[in-house]
Amino acid sequence: MTKNLLQTYFKQAQELPPAVQEAFARAAPDETIRVYALSDLDGNQRFSERWLVLGENHLVLVEPSGEFLNGHTAWKTQALALRDLGKFELLEGLSSSRLNVVNASNELVASVQYTRRQAPAVGNLQFVAEQVRKRLLENAAPPELADDFDPATEYRDAVLKAVKEAKATLAMPKIGVMLRLLSYLKPHKKPVAIGLALAVLLTALQLLPPYLTKVLVDDILRPVESGRITDASFWLWVVIGSLAAVWSISEFISFIRLRIMALTGEKISKQLREDLYRHMQKLSLSFFSSRTTGSLITRVSSDTDRLWDFITFGLIEMVVSVLQIIGVAAALFLQDWSLAILVLVPLPIMTAMFYWHGQKLQVLYLRIWRKWSAMTGVLSDVIPGIRVVKAFAQEQHEVKRFSEKNNALETEAEILHRQWTRFWPTVVMLMHVCSLIVWAVGAPRVLRYALTNGAEGMPLGVFIAFTGYMWMFWAPVQHLGMMSRTVNRVSTSASRVFEVLDTVPNIVNKPEAKPIEPLQGHVQFENVTFTYDGVRNVLKGVTFEVQPGEMIGLVGPSGGGKTTLINLICRFYDVKDGGVKIDGVDVRDQELAGMRRQIGVVLQEPYLFHGTIAENIAYGSANATLKEIIAAARAANAHEFICGFPDGYETIVGERGQTLSGGERQRISIARAILHNPRILILDEATSSVDTETEKKIQEALQRLVAGRTTFAIAHRLSTLSIADRLFVMEDGKLVEQGTHEELLAKPDGVYAKLHRTQAELHALIAV
Amino acid sequence: MTTVIEKNSFAEPIAVLPEDRVDKSNWNLFRRADGRLVLRCEDGKGETTETPVQVACCFPWSHPFEFISLRDDKGHEQKLIPNLQQIAAPARELIENELAQRNFMPRITGIEAITDEIELFHWKVITNVGARHFLTRRSDHPRKLVNGDVLIKDVSNDLYLIPNPKSLDAQSLKLLWVYLD
Ligand SMILES: Nc1ncnc2c1ncn2[C@@H]1O[C@H](COP(=O)(O)OP(=O)(O)O)[C@@H](O)[C@H]1O
Ligand SMILES: [Mg+2]
């Protein structure tokens, strides 16, 4: 199944077609294919199939020649020797890109256009082609192929990456999802079995009352009239007593059944929620960055709730409905087979009607859901920005925007309400028609029975029981008709839950990984290359070495890769090439949690959890004493303002808690880092969002924190970094300069010197 | 809040358009041998500069032929053309060509099927440039443009335009109905 995803979803070749491989072999004999990509647009911007195939010395363009050979497309080729190529130029469009290949004398030799879908694969090809070309020109020998580089896999993964980001587990059929959900019932075999058994019992019991009515009429009341029995009142009480018994037993059973299934359902959904959350915590940052917080919260909360609903009610209901239909049908046939057939005929029609109604509702619900999210979208957009709305006096405009969405929702809901309000009376009408037919056919027979004194026709009791059974038919029919919708909703929820559970964390401990405790704090980057999206390199060959206890200031234009660099030190992501070593050991060979415990981070936007200030300071340092907490707060210049709150260290902060200013939050997070006592400290623009006065206080706090630890500090205000031992200048993913402040200033054309000048001018400007 | 401000104390509106300033420079465009579009500018003193440029649209959806920005490879604007109609034919054709390349987007002319793949929808469509299959995220709604056209973005960020959806055939329209307003 997973093999043909490209074919199924995109109607795109799963790998390089054999005919194209042959064409390549003709154009570049004896060359191994390194990498290939599809260009899915032709020169007239129509969808077509052209292949870019990179060998060891040639880039070959393979495209349909427009002719056919034995009924197959004939391919023509254009082979470009890598040595003669100058550069590749990438021009991005709205929904497509163009790759221009230019030769050494600056002439365009080939130009291909392709959609976004192919962009990652073409990007890979361009990257490899450039590397190969460079190495060809440098040492004039075809470079070695990396061992684990399979062109077909690279191509497939590149094209499928976008799909996998939207949905991690592809090709999980609905049936598979349902079966997997049922497998969660396994540990609860006993309650489920009891629930089912009770359901069967209940169904059987429910068949009794119409039968008892029949006994009452045919075997007691009628014989009394003809004076055939004498102890009639005794039998009357027997029947009434039985009815009472049946009803009370069935209510008791359904009470037990509901309770068992509700509790079991809750156990299962609790387990799912916990598994889900536990697994989510294991997943890497890249998983979270590709999904909205809202959609992840939904999975843990409402999706698991929907599964509870299904296990508690839906599952048994499905089984019971089938049993009821069989039971009632059997009872009907036992009473009178010809009438039974009459009742059963409309059954398929009714089921179809319910099915069709369910399908229709599904579409309507989808539409309503869209309108609904458009309306709530306005709310979640505007309410956080209410200050801006007020400042620009746009209240009226916002009300109008909201009521537009609100009206659209109403219009949509109207369609839905029209649909179901029309449906139900129709259905009930149909039921009545059916019962009328039964009356029309059955009543004359009852009459004949009375006239012929029981020689032919149908006894009255049988007829009454029969109509009773007939009305019992409709509820299960309705349930089964609605089942497709239930199954749809449940399998959607279940597969969204399973998707998270199936996502494999891509940052994991090696089995033999050992913690190094305590770390010295020696950090080394060896030719590190890194990419977030697999195509564009964000770090390009960064190399440096930092001694234990050294403080490094990271500066450079935004987007230069500073945050990315520290993400790699923390191993939030793994490098693409090269290596990051802490204390001489590659971070991938270290025990993850043990290593991260010794790294402290202070971010630009400090995050405080809901809880007291003391709990926030002690986050990650579970055994801290009150004295230590106060000492840390003091060192962070936070003690004084904390004592100023009526609740002191027990002031609740975080969402819905006491509002703190940016500087105050920052100092609490610094206190957290101080208490944490890390060997390696990372400050990512820790002082960017505070005023100069507060910055001075934070600065002092930081100075205490930095002492004796390896520190990486990112800052925009260069003055902040005056205490740094060395400065690293990052630009465009490269470490372009490093040295002390004085050394860097000494290079008049240097990036740092320029940055310094601009900031000095800016200061002068503000000072005026 | 209700202080009366003298009229002349208002700031002048900021001039953003070249036509607001007086554009005296002499310029033209040509296509270089390496396929790039190059802007040749001549200042008053007979000095010419040649810069390879890329075109960008300020309003690609509502006004695709107005406010065209010519930018160098670093993203610095070299020229802003308020309206393509106002410039001479050779340069206009070059820009139109470049825009056609850049703004390429399939137009859906018929929908064969939209199937629910749980988190995804699988579309099978016919476009003006051939048949196409693609996937969209469940949470990504088609976007309705001001002129009533519908724009669909798939998981790879490819765009598909349905010009005037009401004109689609009945079968396609029925499939699309879920997304229409
Ligand atoms: N999670 C991410 N996914 C994809 N690209 C990213 C991500 N984070 C950063 N980038 C890109 O990486 C580049 C470097 O970013 P970053 O390291 O944050 O720069 P800096 O911290 O120096 O401002 C930027 O071009 C940015 O767009
Ligand atoms: Mg940053």
Side-chain angles (χ1 to χ4, degrees):
Chain A
M1 189 69 192
T2 38
K3 277 223 70 135
N4 288 320
L5 286 176
L6 282 185
Q7 192 65 40
T8 338
Y9 285 145
F10 297 148
K11 279 260 169 284
Q12 173 172 340
Q14 188 76 12
E15 54 187 17
L16 199 64
V20 176
Q21 287 184 32
E22 282 163 26
F24 172 81
R26 280 196 303 277
D30 301 328
E31 283 188 38
T32 322
I33 296 176
R34 283 175 160 277
V35 57
Y36 57 83
L38 176 72
S39 140
D40 52 2
L41 290 169
D42 66 11
N44 300 323
Q45 298 189 321
R46 293 190 61 83
F47 289 132
S48 78
E49 191 181 353
R50 309 162 96 187
W51 292 90
L52 295 164
V53 189
L54 182 72
E56 282 142 334
N57 295 305
H58 288 88
L59 174 64
V60 181
L61 195 65
V62 188
E63 58 185 314
S65 64
E67 286 158 25
F68 289 89
L69 239 162
N70 311 328
H72 295 287
T73 318
W75 298 88
K76 65 176 184 197
T77 54
Q78 180 188 1
L80 306 166
L82 288 172
R83 274 169 187 285
D84 304 337
L85 294 185
K87 60 181 174 195
F88 295 91
E89 246 167 343
L90 189 69
L91 302 170
E92 297 252 13
L94 264 183
S95 177
S96 66
S97 306
R98 172 170 289 277
L99 182 69
N100 283 345
V101 187
V102 178
N103 69 11
S105 42
N106 251 334
E107 286 157 343
L108 185 68
V109 286
S111 173
V112 289
Q113 199 173 356
Y114 47 91
T115 61
R116 291 260 151 98
R117 183 185 295 169
Q118 316 300 341
V122 179
N124 282 346
L125 178 121
Q126 182 199 343
F127 177 76
V128 178
E130 271 167 358
Q131 299 296 314
V132 174
R133 180 184 147 267
K134 210 157 85 196
R135 277 186 265 176
L136 274 179
L137 290 181
E138 275 163 13
N139 56 20
E144 311 268 319
L145 253 171
D147 324 326
D148 52 352
F149 194 87
D150 172 36
T153 319
E154 286 293 315
Y155 158 76
R156 250 197 318 270
D157 288 353
V159 181
L160 278 179
K161 187 165 181 286
V163 188
K164 292 218 167 106
E165 259 164 31
K167 182 182 173 192
T169 33
L170 290 168
M172 204 199 300
K174 231 175 246 175
I175 283 290
V177 172
M178 292 307 278
L179 286 179
R180 185 159 161 201
L181 181 61
L182 290 184
S183 77
Y184 274 80
L185 292 172
K186 249 190 208 152
H188 309 277
K189 269 193 203 118
K190 216 163 125 193
V192 172
I194 295 178
L196 271 178
L198 290 179
V200 174
L201 200 60
L202 194 63
T203 315
L205 277 176
Q206 278 167 349
L207 292 174
L208 280 179
Y211 179 74
L212 288 174
T213 331
K214 184 205 129 197
V215 172
L216 186 69
V217 174
D218 282 352
D219 302 338
I220 303 173
L221 296 181
R222 298 287 312 272
V224 167
E225 280 170 22
S226 49
R228 266 185 284 146
I229 53 171
T230 45
D231 50 353
S233 70
F234 167 73
W235 286 112
L236 194 67
W237 285 109
V238 169
V239 170
I240 293 177
S242 319
L243 267 180
V246 166
W247 277 328
S248 32
I249 293 175
S250 9
E251 279 320 298
F252 183 71
I253 287 180
S254 71
F255 150 73
I256 297 275
R257 185 200 86 183
L258 268 184
R259 170 167 290 181
I260 288 181
M261 290 319 283
L263 297 183
T264 311
E266 203 55 64
K267 280 209 182 78
I268 292 173
S269 64
K270 183 209 83 177
Q271 191 60 45
L272 271 173
R273 272 198 296 273
E274 176 145 342
D275 286 356
L276 209 54
Y277 190 62
R278 195 185 294 274
H279 193 78
M280 254 187 214
Q281 292 285 354
K282 267 193 251 163
L283 292 177
S284 334
L285 278 186
S286 53
F287 174 82
F288 293 92
S289 62
S290 68
R291 279 165 185 77
T292 61
T293 315
S295 90
L296 292 178
I297 293 176
T298 317
R299 292 173 203 222
V300 181
S301 57
S302 49
D303 279 332
T304 53
D305 197 50
R306 202 182 270 176
L307 297 184
W308 172 80
D309 195 68
F310 174 70
I311 292 166
T312 309
F313 303 110
L315 190 62
I316 298 278
E317 211 142 74
M318 260 160 60
V319 180
V320 167
S321 299
V322 173
L323 286 178
Q324 273 177 338
I325 288 184
I326 296 174
V328 172
L332 287 178
F333 270 102
L334 280 180
Q335 307 293 334
D336 188 305
W337 65 269
S338 56
L339 264 190
I341 288 180
L342 211 59
V343 175
L344 287 182
V345 166
L347 197 69
I349 305 176
M350 295 287 261
T351 316
M353 272 181 73
F354 279 112
Y355 174 77
W356 170 81
H357 178 63
Q359 295 298 78
K360 182 99 189 176
L361 281 192
Q362 203 169 326
V363 172
L364 289 175
Y365 274 127
L366 194 59
R367 276 180 69 101
I368 288 221
W369 177 68
R370 275 182 52 223
K371 305 286 153 117
W372 188 264
S373 53
M375 186 191 71
T376 52
V378 172
L379 293 181
S380 56
D381 184 35
V382 172
I383 292 176
I386 197 76
R387 282 170 63 113
V388 184
V389 175
K390 294 211 175 291
F392 282 78
Q394 291 297 300
E395 292 93 339
Q396 288 306 320
H397 167 77
E398 290 305 337
V399 170
K400 207 174 113 224
R401 201 148 73 104
F402 179 77
S403 61
E404 268 168 23
K405 307 288 179 201
N406 202 12
N407 288 344
L409 177 64
E410 193 213 353
T411 319
E412 211 54 57
E414 209 176 301
I415 304 181
L416 176 77
H417 296 321
R418 277 176 199 285
Q419 170 67 24
W420 68 261
T421 48
R422 180 169 355 108
F423 179 74
W424 283 107
T426 318
V427 166
V428 176
M429 202 49 226
L430 211 83
M431 292 176 185
H432 283 300
V433 169
C434 286
S435 62
L436 275 179
I437 293 175
V438 170
W439 274 81
V441 176
R445 287 209 222 163
V446 176
L447 209 60
R448 190 141 20 100
Y449 184 82
L451 291 178
T452 59
N453 238 336
E456 53 182 284
M458 190 184 211
L460 178 62
V462 173
F463 183 67
I464 293 177
F466 194 91
T467 47
Y469 283 128
M470 194 179 67
W471 283 105
M472 284 173 64
F473 231 18
W474 304 126
V477 167
Q478 179 194 336
H479 280 143
L480 285 186
M482 293 292 208
M483 200 175 76
S484 84
R485 195 172 143 238
T486 315
V487 169
N488 252 331
R489 284 162 59 103
V490 169
S491 59
T492 304
S493 280
S495 64
R496 295 191 339 162
V497 168
F498 294 148
E499 187 205 342
V500 178
L501 289 178
D502 290 347
T503 307
V504 184
N506 44 20
I507 308 275
V508 287
N509 270 331
K510 283 191 182 167
E512 70 279 5
K514 279 195 202 73
I516 307 180
E517 270 171 292
L519 283 178
Q520 295 304 309
H522 179 271
V523 178
Q524 196 178 359
F525 269 48
E526 285 172 347
N527 206 10
V528 168
T529 304
F530 175 75
T531 161
Y532 284 104
D533 54 12
V535 178
R536 205 170 51 99
N537 284 336
V538 173
L539 291 188
K540 304 163 185 168
V542 175
T543 303
F544 63 77
E545 190 176 348
V546 173
Q547 298 305 326
E550 220 182 343
M551 175 172 176
I552 302 297
L554 280 169
V555 295
S558 76
K562 304 182 292 293
T563 303
T564 308
L565 190 141
I566 61 175
N567 279 344
L568 293 184
I569 299 178
C570 299
R571 202 179 166 215
F572 289 143
Y573 299 89
D574 273 338
V575 299
K576 176 175 157 192
D577 252 327
V580 176
K581 283 184 180 168
I582 296 185
D583 281 12
V585 181
D586 195 299
V587 287
R588 283 167 294 188
D589 296 329
Q590 300 200 22
E591 202 260 328
L592 199 56
M595 184 189 84
R596 285 198 190 143
R597 262 198 294 277
Q598 302 182 64
I599 300 179
V601 255
V602 179
L603 302 174
Q604 178 176 8
E605 277 297 321
Y607 194 84
L608 300 187
F609 293 98
H610 181 78
T612 66
I613 291 181
E615 282 164 0
N616 266 290
I617 294 178
Y619 190 80
S621 327
N623 301 321
T625 62
L626 297 183
K627 217 172 177 179
E628 285 168 338
I629 292 177
I630 293 179
R634 232 186 243 287
N637 269 345
H639 177 68
E640 278 162 24
F641 82 79
I642 296 174
C643 288
F645 294 131
D647 296 338
Y649 280 81
E650 304 194 315
T651 308
I652 303 284
V653 293
E655 208 183 336
R656 298 186 308 278
Q658 166 89 32
T659 30
L660 300 178
S661 76
E664 288 167 344
R665 280 208 304 271
Q666 193 56 276
R667 278 176 279 168
I668 292 179
S669 80
I670 291 173
R672 183 191 283 166
I674 292 176
L675 188 59
H676 194 54
N677 192 19
R679 299 304 309 151
I680 297 174
L681 177 67
I682 285 165
L683 307 168
D684 192 351
E685 308 194 10
T687 55
S688 297
S689 56
V690 297
D691 57 274
T692 14
E693 187 61 26
T694 320
E695 186 183 348
K696 217 154 81 196
K697 290 213 184 88
I698 295 177
Q699 211 44 268
E700 279 173 25
L702 286 181
Q703 240 149 20
R704 292 187 202 119
L705 180 54
V706 162
R709 313 171 203 275
T710 310
T711 304
F712 291 85
I714 301 180
H716 276 306
R717 273 177 238 159
L718 300 183
S719 54
T720 323
L721 297 175
S722 53
I723 50 168
D725 297 313
R726 272 193 297 162
L727 296 169
F728 286 1
V729 186
M730 295 288 300
E731 190 183 47
D732 192 23
K734 283 181 281 228
L735 182 57
V736 286
E737 288 169 19
Q738 52 175 305
T740 62
H741 176 72
E742 288 73 26
E743 283 168 9
L744 294 182
L745 275 190
K747 301 181 193 166
D749 291 337
V751 180
Y752 182 78
K754 254 187 242 165
L755 223 61
H756 188 78
R757 271 202 300 278
T758 344
Q759 289 207 353
E761 281 162 22
L762 203 64
H763 259 287
L765 204 66
I766 294 167
V768 167
Chain B
M1 263 338 269
T2 49
T3 332
V4 181
I5 303 172
E6 298 245 338
K7 187 148 200 318
N8 59 10
S9 71
F10 280 111
E12 286 288 312
I14 300 169
V16 277
L17 302 182
E19 59 183 358
D20 294 356
R21 308 185 225 110
V22 186
D23 186 8
K24 286 203 200 86
S25 64
N26 220 343
W27 61 276
N28 64 17
L29 285 168
F30 68 96
R31 195 170 290 282
R32 213 163 57 178
D34 66 353
R36 292 298 302 270
L37 195 63
V38 178
L39 176 72
R40 182 191 280 134
C41 276
E42 217 169 280
D43 62 6
K45 296 161 226 130
E47 293 256 343
T48 56
T49 51
E50 289 186 359
T51 331
V53 288
Q54 300 185 22
V55 293
C57 278
C58 289
F59 305 98
W61 306 113
S62 53
H63 301 90
F65 300 112
E66 288 171 45
F67 301 107
I68 310 290
S69 171
L70 303 181
R71 299 138 55 86
D72 68 11
D73 289 345
K74 283 202 167 141
H76 297 303
E77 181 168 281
Q78 303 296 308
K79 192 151 284 301
L80 182 68
I81 300 168
N83 193 334
L84 212 48
Q85 301 306 318
Q86 288 167 5
I87 62 171
R92 190 178 70 225
E93 269 164 27
L94 281 172
I95 295 177
E96 277 170 354
N97 246 326
E98 200 77 6
L99 281 179
Q101 298 278 355
R102 186 184 173 280
N103 293 354
F104 162 78
M105 197 183 341
R107 287 155 189 273
I108 293 178
T109 53
I111 302 172
E112 291 181 339
I114 306 175
T115 39
D116 191 345
E117 301 270 349
I118 301 190
E119 284 294 89
L120 304 165
F121 287 115
H122 185 190
W123 298 63
K124 296 171 187 154
V125 301
I126 308 289
T127 74
N128 62 333
V129 292
R132 182 83 160 172
H133 284 215
F134 61 89
L135 295 168
T136 57
R137 282 176 196 245
R138 187 181 204 90
S139 51
D140 261 351
H141 306 317
R143 170 174 155 202
K144 202 172 153 194
L145 301 178
V146 271
N147 60 4
D149 294 358
V150 168
L151 188 69
I152 301 170
K153 192 172 84 177
D154 79 357
V155 289
S156 327
N157 288 329
D158 274 323
L159 301 171
Y160 302 86
L161 190 75
I162 309 183
N164 190 12
K166 298 264 150 54
S167 68
L168 288 178
D169 59 288
Q171 162 74 9
S172 311
L173 203 57
K174 198 175 151 210
L175 289 171
L176 194 67
W177 182 70
V178 183
Y179 301 106
L180 294 181
D181 292 311

